[in-house]
Amino acid sequence: AYKLTGSEKGRKAAILAADQLCTRFQEKGEFFQAWGALGAADNYRYIIDCLLNVPLLYWASEQTGDPRYAQAATAHAQQAARYIVREDASTYHTYYIDVNTGEPRFGNTHQGYSDTSCWSRGQAWGIYGFLLSYIYTGDETMIALSKRLANYFLNRLPEDYVCHWDLALVGTDALRDSSSAAI
């Protein structure tokens, strides 16, 4: 509302939303825990979806002059770049971090076909999310990563360009995901 109309009420609401999101930031591991009880060892993980939340934090830093929002956003994006993206540029849906040390544990899926496959909507969010981080930070590694993820995605599209719900299911009659294609 603030960006569209200049509403001060909208600005305050957005900053409150950024403050709320920051309560989910885990110092050990430097990521936003998407769901579950904060700090729970069995749920100490982040999801690729959270990349779409970080622009709010970059904006909050711009609006308030408080760098902590952007610092948390950048830390999360860098953490996702390090661990949620596989060597072949496919992505895990979720990645677990050790609750005691903050060290990486393992990736898996909550939405995809299997822990070794690539959920198409998560891949699309990775493409868009790393691009958004680049727009706010100018970090060239983020745009390069977005391009790598995009190439992986595009190379797995069927002839009609509407991807399957998981990119490992190319060539099957699996359901399609037009939302992923739109992203």
Side-chain angles (χ1 to χ4, degrees), residues 43-166:
N43 204 22
Y44 204 70
R45 62 179 163 172
Y46 58 95
I47 59 176
I48 197 162
D49 317 40
C50 288
L51 286 171
L52 277 287
N53 296 336
V54 298
L56 171 66
L57 301 175
Y58 291 122
W59 173 86
S61 277
E62 290 172 357
Q63 290 296 306
T64 65
D66 186 342
R68 292 177 296 165
Y69 298 107
Q71 289 165 349
T74 299
H76 179 85
Q78 290 172 342
Q79 180 75 306
R82 271 191 294 279
Y83 300 116
I84 215 160
V85 179
R86 297 182 185 110
E87 198 169 308
D88 67 355
S90 66
T91 54
Y92 293 108
H93 173 226
T94 183
Y95 203 90
Y96 286 81
I97 301 296
D98 186 281
V99 70
N100 297 310
T101 66
E103 294 297 312
R105 291 183 57 215
F106 61 91
N108 71 7
T109 190
H110 188 72
Q111 304 277 73
Y113 177 73
S114 76
D115 290 343
T116 59
S117 70
C118 184
W119 178 46
S120 62
R121 194 164 323 157
Q123 187 79 4
W125 280 330
I127 295 165
Y128 189 38
F130 289 121
L131 173 65
L132 290 170
S133 284
Y134 164 74
I135 289 169
Y136 280 95
T137 66
D139 180 349
E140 295 286 332
T141 62
M142 293 291 152
I143 191 73
L145 190 54
S146 180
K147 289 177 181 179
R148 284 185 58 227
L149 270 63
N151 284 332
Y152 185 93
F153 188 97
L154 293 171
N155 288 328
R156 284 153 184 83
L157 288 178
E159 285 184 23
D160 64 5
Y161 301 113
V162 180
C163 57
H164 294 83
W165 70 273
D166 192 291

Side-chain angles (χ1 to χ4, degrees), residues 5-27:
T5 68
S7 163
E8 188 57 33
K9 185 177 179 181
R11 181 182 178 277
K12 287 178 183 176
I15 291 170
L16 283 173
D19 289 338
Q20 182 62 36
L21 179 56
C22 284
T23 67
R24 307 288 303 171
F25 189 73
Q26 298 295 331
E27 293 291 335

